Amino acid sequence: MRLFECGTLVPGCQWHTRADEDAEVVRRAVEHLRAVHGEEIIRENMVENIKARVRDENGAAAA
């Protein structure tokens, strides 16, 4: 299971998502950024920042 925690990108945000595939995690994160943080334009560097913060949930629990 892959994990993304929005607070790693937007300090103070407690939202997170899990999915089997990175692409689904990124899709959900982009949707969240639009709906909650008011991001109308998601640039490629934002997608890259999200991808860089997606991690394996098992590794996250062990840290």
Side-chain angles (χ1 to χ4, degrees):
M1 190 67 64
R2 304 292 283 161
L3 171 68
F4 171 75
E5 297 172 296
C6 189
T8 64
L9 190 61
V10 181
C13 184
Q14 298 297 311
W15 182 87
H16 61 276
T17 190
R18 294 174 180 87
D20 290 327
E21 302 291 328
D22 284 8
E24 178 62 15
V25 172
V26 171
R27 186 195 69 75
R28 292 177 186 178
V30 166
E31 184 178 288
H32 168 75
L33 288 170
R34 285 185 172 130
V36 176
H37 298 296
E39 295 290 336
E40 294 180 17
I41 299 171
I42 306 295
R43 291 182 166 60
E44 184 62 29
N45 69 328
M46 181 64 76
V47 173
E48 293 302 320
N49 284 330
I50 293 167
K51 288 179 182 178
R53 289 164 172 82
V54 174
R55 59 188 177 164
D56 187 64
E57 186 174 21
N58 294 333

